[in-house]
Amino acid sequence: MTSATPRLKLINVSKTFPGVQAVKSVSLEAYSQQILALVGENGAGKSTLMNIINGVVQPDSGSIMLDGVEVRIDSPRRAQSLGITMIHQELALIPELTVGQNMFLGREPSRGGWIDWNELYRQTQQVLDRLGIAISARAKIAELSIAEQQLVEIARALSYQARLIALDEPTSSLTDRETEILFRLVRQLRAEGVALIYISHRMEEIFALADRIAVMRDGELITAGPASEFTPQRVVQLMVGRELQPSASQPAQPRGEPILRATNLVAGKAVRGVSLTLHRGEIVGMAGLVGAGRTNVARLLFGADRLDQGEIWFEGKPVSIRSPRDAIRLGIGLVTEDRKAQGLFLKQSVRNNAGAGLLERLSRFGFVNFRALTQQVSDLTTRLRVRTPSLNQQVRNLSGGNQQKVIIARWLALQPKVLILDEPTRGVDVGAKADIHALIRELAAQGMAILMISSELPEILAVSDRILVMREGRITAELNRAEATQDRIMQAAVGQE
Ligand SMILES: Nc1ncnc2c1ncn2[C@@H]1O[C@H](COP(=O)(O)OP(=O)(O)OP(=O)(O)O)[C@@H](O)[C@H]1O
Ligand SMILES: [Mg+2]
């Protein structure tokens, strides 16, 4: 099939940002009726390459051919008119508008000079229905879960007549069922003749979908070829350029005294009577399907949501946690799953973002001890292998996975007694994931109590000393490390105990 003219052909495309050469003379082809998986570590240049194809970023040099014709893609609008669509890593919907308004933004159907709302919602619903997405066209984006928002974004992208669709980590917040819907769509589009480029850090997905695989490292294209010529191990090795130590599970640590205890927490319909205890030095994994109420529990413990009922004890004393400030004062930290909404200061430096919680501690008479701040932040960013040209770099210029690491660094800087991590390795590459797991274990060994929410069962099993499974607002199983298996967790999560 590779004898046909490629749908997309990149020739020696390069892009340099201040301090980083993000893409180095990349030549790559994508074909109609094929799925090309693009893989590489955090910061390898995958999103930048896709932004070039989508007209968001202008290359410094090189050329782009579309169906054998050289094109200049100088804006996303131009990309769209060429039939190139991109589903971004970070959601780009407008929360105050409805699904339909977002879907047809800038191309609303009109009649007699007025927007034809009925027609807009009818067409939107048609797209959603065709894709098997059970969301109302009139729902407000802000009212949808992240996963639902992602599906809307995908639906919007698919509502254009696309010749080439690039998906940048589309499944990072989808449930298994939603992922299946997406896979079905992607395969359907492939059959219809679309060329697809699929970016993911998940090897199972890559091998389930890809016809071809391209590996990037440090801005360069290392190799590209038929998927059948690769194995997951080989791909990982090519990505990181070194052999990776498997994150071996360690013997369970002896757990310390209880530090945080919650009894019968209730909040609306999301949390319906949850009791749990976290001990010093213990890693508790929280499994469950998206929507089971895990994030809600985290938010209650952190004072981000209001309790209807229930009590929380901290270090043996009843406490009332009415706001995140209260939680932080007690020594409770929360790394939330939604990195955009959780207050990365995008235009500020890595130093200020990672050190945000330290400013007060390192200030005297209004002056910040800049050296101490730099020192502490750089220790953490080194430990987490944050890839940035300097600590002065604006956070918005970091790759997605590296932004996630900056958030983790910020919380670690505060040295909380209890750290809650909600999907901590989402969007993080395989190498960095192993680093974060090792770090979580190290923190627990130093006495921190950790509650880790994750939808990835291998992650839960690799890291947790004890596992809680939630379903429909309740804890449906508590398993210790020895008795936990993927099957048992899944059964408790879907309710077939
Ligand atoms: N606008 C920008 N200004 C400066 N540097 C940038 C900009 N955009 C990206 N970079 C840098 O270019 C490099 C490649 O980033 P890119 O986002 O393409 O990585 P990625 O492969 O998509 O990583 P991830 O898996 O974490 O999403 C990184 O070092 C990043 O910090
Ligand atoms: Mg990216």
Side-chain angles (χ1 to χ4, degrees), residues 17-34:
F17 293 114
V20 221
Q21 191 173 357
V23 174
K24 300 177 188 166
S25 194
V26 167
S27 297
L28 178 67
E29 283 113 49
Y31 294 88
S32 153
Q33 292 198 317
Q34 285 197 6

Side-chain angles (χ1 to χ4, degrees), residues 164-342:
L164 174 83
I165 300 180
L167 301 101
D168 196 351
E169 295 185 43
T171 61
S172 54
S173 52
L174 300 188
T175 61
D176 288 350
R177 211 185 70 79
E178 289 160 336
T179 300
E180 261 168 42
I181 296 177
L182 176 76
F183 279 20
R184 187 165 50 71
L185 294 177
V186 164
R187 293 194 175 110
Q188 184 182 328
L189 289 159
R190 170 174 63 183
E192 288 170 11
V194 177
L196 295 125
I197 303 180
Y198 192 92
I199 299 178
S200 172
H201 289 294
R202 297 186 179 160
M203 291 300 142
E204 324 84 74
E205 291 185 357
I206 289 161
F207 282 87
L209 283 179
D211 300 297
R212 290 176 70 236
I213 295 177
V215 184
M216 285 185 79
R217 184 166 76 224
D218 294 331
E220 284 176 281
L221 187 83
I222 299 296
T223 184
S228 56
E229 290 175 7
F230 293 89
T231 61
Q233 292 78 350
R234 177 101 188 97
V235 169
V236 170
Q237 209 177 352
L238 288 165
M239 273 170 59
V240 299
R242 62 188 152 98
E243 291 269 7
L244 208 65
Q245 309 296 342
S247 63
S249 63
Q250 294 175 334
Q253 300 287 328
R255 67 156 89 136
E257 71 268 30
I259 176 157
L260 185 146
R261 196 151 72 83
T263 51
N264 200 26
L265 302 183
V266 175
K269 283 189 183 143
V271 181
R272 311 176 184 203
V274 164
S275 301
L276 55 84
T277 305
L278 304 179
H279 303 81
R280 272 188 225 286
E282 186 190 32
I283 304 171
V284 175
M286 198 176 238
L289 304 179
V290 172
R294 298 170 303 166
T295 296
N296 304 78
V297 170
R299 290 177 57 85
L300 290 175
L301 297 176
F302 189 62
D305 285 341
R306 267 297 165 92
L307 270 179
D308 293 338
Q309 250 185 67
E311 283 168 71
I312 301 175
W313 275 268
F314 195 82
E315 296 184 316
K317 296 185 208 71
V319 288
S320 101
I321 303 175
R322 302 225 155 142
S323 67
R325 260 191 105 82
D326 292 346
I328 292 166
R329 216 174 282 132
L330 288 170
I332 302 173
L334 170 65
V335 176
T336 69
E337 63 177 328
D338 182 358
R339 73 176 160 248
K340 225 178 184 181
Q342 85 157 345

